[in-house]
Amino acid sequence: MPNVASWLPPALTQMAQRVDSLFYIVLGIVAAFFVIVEVLLITFLIRYRRTRKNRTGKGVHGNNLFEIIWTLVPTVILVFMGVISVKYVYAQQTPPPHPVVIKVTGHMWYWEFQYPNGLDTRNVLDVPAGQPVLFDITSADVIHGFYIPAVRVQQDALPGRQTQFWMQADTKDIGQSFPVPCDQFCGVDHSKMHATMTVLSPSDFQQWEASQLQKQKASSGS
Amino acid sequence: MEAAMRIPARKSFFRDWICTVDHKKIGIMYGVTALFFFLVGGLFALGVRTELWTPYGRFVDSQTYNEFYTMHATVMVFLVIIPLLTGAFGNYLVPLQVGARDMAFPRMNALSYWLYLVSGLTLMIGMFFGMPDAGWTSYPPYSIQSQGPGIDIWVMTVHLAGLASILGSINFIVTIIKMRAPGMTFNRMPLFTWSMFVTAFMQLFATPALAGAVTTLLLDRHFGTVFYTAAQGGDPMLYQHLFWFYSHPAVYIMILPGFGIISEVLPVFARKPIFGYHAIAYSSVAIGFLGFFVWAHHMFVAGMAMSAGIPFMISSLIIAVPTSVKIFNWLATIWGGAVEYEVPMMFASLGFIGSFIIGGFSGVIVANVPLDMALHDTYFVVAHIHYVLFGGSVMTIMAGIFFWFPKVTGRMFHKTWGYVGFWFYFVGTQVTFFPMHLLGLAGMPRRYATYAPEFHLWNQVATIGSYILGVGTIILLVNLMVSAKYGRKVENNPWNARTLEWTVSSPPPEHNFDEIPVVTENPYQPYPDLEPETESAPAGA
Ligand code: HEM
Ligand SMILES: [Cu+2]
Ligand SMILES: [Cu+2]
């Protein structure tokens, strides 16, 4: 079926691909447990149903060995899941040196982007491919949620506070556009607060930035 | 005590119900009121889902949509799930299960109910003056800027419900510590009562944080304070910390008593002692304790440093351990049993265990900081909360209602319609809430009145599911109402259960026990082999 979104959207960055692999590891583990529990549940319900012959259950009260096993095994697996996630957190948190810094401001109900050369846009987010981009995120009014599904990251935009995340788009995605919705409830038009991110080659990005800035100056009556 | 034992001179609705301090009547009043609100909350949910039938939001405008989902969630959390589990089940069962004649403070118990009713009426009547529109979380600064009286009404509602909860929790703690029958040691206490004991402590310690959060919100709205106004030195994140310091424990308040219900229902229908009594009781205590150390997992992307989420990620993953211990003990209780597929057992086994674990697993996924960076505030979270609250809490509530219905009314519900209702609920839960996982993974944010066209299909499926749940609810509630009046009369212990409430008449006498029982063992003992005759003997009154 065309255009029915049912799974993770395309991953734009390497970091997003790594997050997806983490997701598949965790999903694999929980899916295995899901199958185990459902199979045991349904098997037991059918196998041990009440019949003429099976009129009463076993008189057991418990079993310490089993208790220990099913406490320790999940503990080990869960702690393992936590531990392997830690390095992703630090990778997300630490931007590479010399990123292109784009200032993001949430407004009711649009996103404002300020580029390094002073260009200021509404809902238009263009980023250079192959270079680290750092978003400095804040809000002019209420809390918004700056979310780029293709990058698998979001941070709330808060008044009086700055949050950050970074990304580096793959060069293979040059020319592609991605949705940038607001995902923290921010009032009546929350669901219409929506920017579009387009990936440009670094040279196109520079040209675009410069030409847009000129247009902006011209139209503001210089 | 004296009040509970007094026999009214003359019967009247006013004396019987309005003036009552009998924990059983208060429990029933809680139950009936909360089920009424369940219908109200359900109608709002259907409004939400109807709006989402199309991507463009043609049913109501966005403002009304925001009011609908706020009302839906506020009603469900504060007026349905918590009052049903603690107010209705807790009140009705705890004194009976510990062998007491009433709660420790019967008048305070009545006060809790009336405060709860006033809280609910505040929201219902307030609705005609303005509905809150900031979500059940009501984050500032939006909730400070929101116009009209909606948020103020919301604050009043939450305050009154919170006060009712605090009074109730004190009552449960004192009753359970002080009023247990001779011989009822903690190690012989029924597991539902154990779960209420832990829940009461959580309510007592967590609710004040909520009261603080909403009071400061009100002050900011009307009295010029700036707790949450960044421009003047306030901090909106403070509210979120306070709110989740309450609301994370609150999600366990909304499930622990349900866990207790499951621990009562499974052994009876599997005809076995519960497997791992101590493990189940102590895992509730572990959940109650750990539940206070995970709140910031709701705030991974709310402005904290990403690495500050790590300790909360670890504590949240650890809290899954006591929960999975319970699941395995329940499975082991069914293992080797002689399972009778009665309606309460269907809700407890397939309905609850079969659905709730999906919510547990999605919880493990969103507890992971890097994964939550991607999934927070999307429909994945909506899927998660509904698998725990609908697949979890609501299923346990239905299991409990059908299990204790014969005790409370002295009559049996209509079994065939009970099964029909069960299947509507089971299928409806999966059809409504499973597709929300897919929407969330694909990046659909929550609290959206309109959405991108590629999300259309799964939204339509979810909407169809919600109508299935709506029909199921009508079937279940009509069955209860009709059977309460016309159901077949049953003997005192139709399920052959072992806890103390089943030793007295159905419905129990006003003073519960003619003679306070002396307890010599834990209620979960092996069942003797039944004679086939006993099973097929006609149940008579
Ligand atoms: C027929 C059954 C139900 C349906 C169809 C339904 C549907 C929904 C939908 C679509 C939302 C998301 C609104 C949005 O974000 O745009 C929602 C939110 C919510 N629902 Fe339900 N719901 C149902 C039952 C319940 C029950 C039984 C509870 C019990 C507590 C519940 C608790 C909540 C909560 C707490 C939220 C809001 C979460 C938040 O804002 O953080 N729902 N519901
Ligand atoms: Cu928004
Ligand atoms: Cu939580």
Side-chain angles (χ1 to χ4, degrees):
Chain A
M1 253 180 298
N3 210 18
V4 173
S6 313
W7 201 245
L8 296 168
L12 173 60
T13 63
Q14 252 169 29
M15 194 61 216
Q17 286 164 10
R18 291 179 59 197
V19 171
D20 285 1
S21 353
L22 177 67
F23 172 72
Y24 287 116
I25 295 173
V26 174
L27 182 66
I29 296 173
V30 299
F33 271 88
F34 169 75
V35 172
I36 294 174
V37 174
E38 296 288 356
V39 166
L40 289 180
L41 175 66
I42 291 171
T43 319
F44 289 172
L45 283 177
I46 294 173
R47 164 76 182 73
Y48 299 108
R49 67 188 178 282
R50 185 147 341 152
T51 58
R52 281 186 168 283
K53 288 212 193 83
N54 183 29
R55 282 170 313 183
T56 193
K58 296 189 192 350
V60 286
H61 287 268
N63 179 311
N64 286 338
L65 180 65
F66 278 103
E67 296 293 347
I68 292 171
I69 293 175
W70 64 51
T71 308
L72 284 187
V73 173
T75 309
V76 170
I77 293 175
L78 287 161
V79 170
F80 164 79
M81 280 179 358
V83 169
I84 60 169
S85 311
V86 168
K87 63 172 190 280
Y88 297 83
V89 179
Y90 283 99
Q92 294 270 35
Q93 182 169 267
T94 329
H98 315 300
V100 176
V101 179
I102 299 179
K103 193 165 181 295
V104 180
T105 310
H107 295 264
M108 290 159 111
W109 291 276
Y110 64 92
W111 290 112
E112 178 191 356
F113 300 103
Q114 284 162 288
Y115 292 83
N117 72 348
L119 170 68
D120 193 330
T121 68
R122 270 193 184 202
N123 289 338
V124 178
L125 174 58
D126 283 12
V127 294
Q131 291 180 5
V133 175
L134 178 68
F135 299 111
D136 278 345
I137 307 155
T138 188
S139 165
D141 36 54
V142 302
I143 304 177
H144 303 270
F146 184 63
Y147 176 35
I148 313 180
V151 179
R152 310 284 189 272
V153 191
Q154 61 185 298
Q155 283 289 309
D156 280 0
L158 294 108
R161 205 180 257 271
Q162 195 187 61
T163 53
Q164 286 190 327
F165 70 81
W166 70 275
M167 60 169 272
Q168 178 164 336
D170 270 2
T171 42
K172 70 170 170 31
D173 290 303
I174 288 174
Q176 307 254 51
S177 291
F178 301 89
V180 183
C182 172
D183 76 346
Q184 179 63 267
F185 178 67
C186 57
V188 61
D189 275 339
H190 165 55
S191 68
K192 299 193 179 98
M193 180 164 166
H194 190 278
T196 303
M197 179 173 80
T198 308
V199 180
L200 300 177
S201 71
S203 56
D204 284 355
F205 176 73
Q206 294 220 312
Q207 249 172 26
W208 173 83
E209 221 190 347
S211 66
Q212 290 296 308
L213 185 65
Q214 291 224 304
K215 270 196 216 158
Q216 201 168 57
K217 281 197 176 134
S219 69
S220 68
S222 52
Chain B
M1 287 300 284
E2 195 197 314
M5 287 159 61
R6 186 179 56 210
I7 291 159
R10 159 172 77 78
K11 284 192 172 277
S12 75
F13 180 79
F14 181 75
R15 272 169 194 277
D16 264 11
W17 294 96
I18 310 294
C19 301
T20 190
V21 293
D22 174 358
H23 71 99
K24 298 182 291 303
K25 286 191 174 149
I26 293 174
I28 294 171
M29 281 153 53
Y30 258 112
V32 171
T33 313
L35 287 175
F36 167 75
F37 287 131
F38 186 52
L39 290 176
V40 175
L43 281 179
F44 279 112
L46 294 182
V48 165
R49 287 297 346 155
T50 305
E51 170 83 344
L52 299 176
W53 176 254
T54 70
Y56 327 104
R58 296 222 168 98
F59 177 57
V60 290
D61 59 36
S62 298
Q63 177 61 28
T64 311
Y65 175 83
N66 297 340
E67 293 169 359
F68 276 16
Y69 84 73
T70 301
M71 288 294 289
H72 160 64
T74 303
V75 168
M76 289 296 190
V77 171
F78 295 110
L79 303 181
V80 178
I81 306 288
I82 298 179
L84 262 179
L85 284 173
T86 64
F89 285 101
N91 262 310
Y92 197 94
L93 293 171
V94 166
L96 282 166
Q97 287 200 327
V98 300
R101 293 219 152 98
D102 205 312
M103 295 284 278
F105 308 111
R107 286 191 184 82
M108 186 165 93
N109 198 19
L111 179 62
S112 295
Y113 169 76
W114 293 106
L115 282 172
Y116 157 63
L117 183 69
V118 173
S119 145
L121 292 179
T122 306
L123 192 65
M124 294 300 114
I125 297 169
M127 215 154 81
F128 298 99
F129 298 92
M131 287 193 252
D133 64 346
W136 78 290
T137 49
S138 212
Y139 282 2
Y142 180 75
S143 56
I144 295 173
Q145 297 175 12
S146 168
Q147 299 297 308
I151 302 285
D152 306 316
I153 292 164
W154 181 88
V155 169
M156 285 307 296
T157 304
V158 170
H159 248 305
L160 290 165
L163 190 53
S165 245
I166 291 178
L167 295 181
S169 65
I170 295 171
N171 224 336
F172 285 120
I173 292 171
V174 178
T175 306
I176 293 171
I177 293 180
K178 284 298 198 194
M179 314 240 318
R180 279 167 294 133
M184 173 72 76
T185 60
F186 273 96
N187 282 325
R188 291 178 187 159
M189 220 159 67
L191 287 164
F192 175 76
T193 297
W194 256 111
S195 70
M196 275 307 302
F197 190 52
V198 177
T199 305
F201 277 104
M202 297 190 89
Q203 285 183 292
L204 186 61
F205 293 134
T207 317
L210 178 69
V214 300
T215 305
T216 42
L217 196 64
L218 198 66
L219 293 177
D220 269 16
R221 276 173 67 82
H222 296 295
F223 301 98
T225 57
V226 292
F227 288 101
Y228 306 124
T229 313
Q232 282 146 289
D235 184 356
M237 262 183 90
L238 171 64
Y239 175 90
Q240 300 183 23
H241 280 294
L242 287 172
F243 181 84
W244 289 113
F245 189 79
Y246 164 75
S247 285
H248 190 85
V251 306
Y252 288 103
I253 293 169
M254 292 188 268
I255 196 69
L256 274 179
F259 286 169
I261 292 173
I262 299 304
S263 301
E264 302 293 4
V265 170
L266 292 181
V268 168
F269 294 102
R271 228 163 261 260
K272 267 186 71 189
I274 187 94
F275 195 95
Y277 171 86
H278 292 100
I280 293 185
Y282 299 152
S283 60
S284 298
V285 178
I287 290 175
F289 182 74
L290 288 169
F292 282 95
F293 298 92
V294 300
W295 78 91
H297 70 201
H298 297 275
M299 299 172 60
F300 286 151
V301 304
M304 347 192 280
M306 292 179 185
S307 53
I310 292 172
F312 292 98
M313 160 169 75
I314 302 292
S315 58
S316 311
L317 291 170
I318 299 281
I319 207 171
V321 174
T323 314
S324 70
V325 165
K326 283 180 194 288
I327 301 275
F328 285 117
N329 277 295
W330 289 325
L331 285 177
T333 303
I334 303 175
W335 165 82
V339 179
E340 194 157 32
Y341 301 152
E342 290 287 356
V343 174
M345 183 62 175
M346 297 305 286
F347 277 109
S349 57
L350 196 57
F352 167 74
I353 301 180
S355 312
F356 174 76
I357 57 168
I358 298 179
F361 292 136
S362 59
V364 166
I365 292 176
V366 289
N368 243 279
V369 178
L371 301 182
D372 192 59
M373 294 278 174
L375 297 172
H376 180 74
D377 275 336
T378 69
Y379 258 79
F380 196 84
V381 170
V382 181
H384 161 68
I385 57 179
H386 285 92
Y387 265 98
V388 292
L389 288 173
F390 208 95
S393 314
V394 174
M395 291 291 182
T396 67
I397 286 168
M398 288 300 161
I401 290 180
F402 283 90
F403 183 57
W404 280 290
F405 184 85
K407 174 53 53 191
V408 176
T409 61
R411 292 172 188 275
M412 188 51 83
F413 51 84
H414 192 290
K415 290 196 179 174
T416 311
W417 282 107
Y419 291 116
V420 173
F422 165 77
W423 284 109
F424 268 84
Y425 255 37
F426 183 73
V427 173
T429 302
Q430 321 307 330
V431 176
T432 310
F433 302 120
F434 199 84
M436 293 184 187
H437 292 112
L438 307 178
L439 290 168
L441 288 176
M444 176 167 162
R446 63 197 277 219
R447 301 179 172 182
Y448 261 31
T450 57
Y451 53 86
E454 68 261 30
F455 302 126
H456 196 183
L457 175 72
W458 293 121
N459 269 298
Q460 288 199 323
V461 173
T463 300
I464 293 171
S466 69
Y467 293 137
I468 300 178
L469 286 175
V471 175
T473 306
I474 303 297
I475 294 175
L476 292 167
L477 295 188
V478 168
N479 188 350
L480 295 176
M481 284 188 302
V482 174
S483 305
K485 198 149 165 54
Y486 303 106
R488 167 173 64 82
K489 283 216 162 74
V490 288
E491 71 275 31
N492 297 339
N493 189 1
W495 311 127
N496 212 337
R498 296 295 180 70
T499 37
L500 285 177
E501 73 273 23
W502 298 101
T503 61
V504 297
S505 66
S506 296
E510 180 153 6
H511 51 280
N512 293 352
F513 301 97
D514 293 333
E515 235 173 278
I516 290 296
V518 176
V519 181
T520 55
E521 59 181 8
N522 158 320
Y524 311 99
Q525 298 302 328
Y527 280 83
D529 205 356
L530 290 178
E531 293 306 315
E533 287 78 43
T534 336
E535 250 188 313
S536 50

